[in-house]
Amino acid sequence: MSFETLKSNFMDLTNDPVAVGFIAPGEANAHLVYVNKAFTLNFGFAPDDVIGKPVNVIHDPGSWQDFTARVSPFFRANKSTFNVETIMRGVDGNTFWASVSFIVYTDEDDEGRY
């Protein structure tokens, strides 16, 4: 199933905020490629504000290193699903705790991961 099919069939139907990042081989950080309507309502960012930006734009800068240290082992172990709690940041700069669920999807055509 393609990312476009997943997006149109499932991600816009949930009331949970969804943000999708993509990391290509050799890149240090993922970039946001999609946010759903619930994300916009909860975080305040319009899609044009964040699409194409590094994923850390929606994270608290003070906890970014801790966040990457906690998720990196899951990626190195090729885990396809995992959860972490972290501090996120809305468009107004306010921060809040959130439970982040990862569903890792490898794009065999682009050789990267969503």
Side-chain angles (χ1 to χ4, degrees), residues 15-78:
N15 290 324
D16 294 325
V18 174
V20 177
F22 179 78
I23 189 163
E27 287 186 356
N29 290 310
H31 289 77
L32 290 166
V33 295
Y34 169 81
V35 295
N36 71 350
K37 293 173 188 169
F39 174 90
T40 298
L41 290 171
N42 284 274
F43 282 75
F45 291 104
D48 290 342
D49 295 338
V50 293
I51 300 300
K53 301 247 169 61
V55 295
N56 64 335
V57 73
I58 60 173
H59 289 267
D60 170 51
S63 63
W64 176 248
Q65 286 184 328
D66 176 61
F67 173 76
T68 58
R70 287 189 293 130
V71 300
S72 291
F74 293 110
F75 285 114
R76 282 194 302 274
N78 291 317

Side-chain angles (χ1 to χ4, degrees), residues 12 25 28 51 62 74-75 80 82-83 94 96 98-99 102 108-109:
D12 278 332
I51 300 300
F74 293 110
F75 285 114
S80 59
F82 56 94
N83 299 323
N94 287 332
F96 53 92
S99 177
F102 285 81
E108 294 175 7
D109 295 333

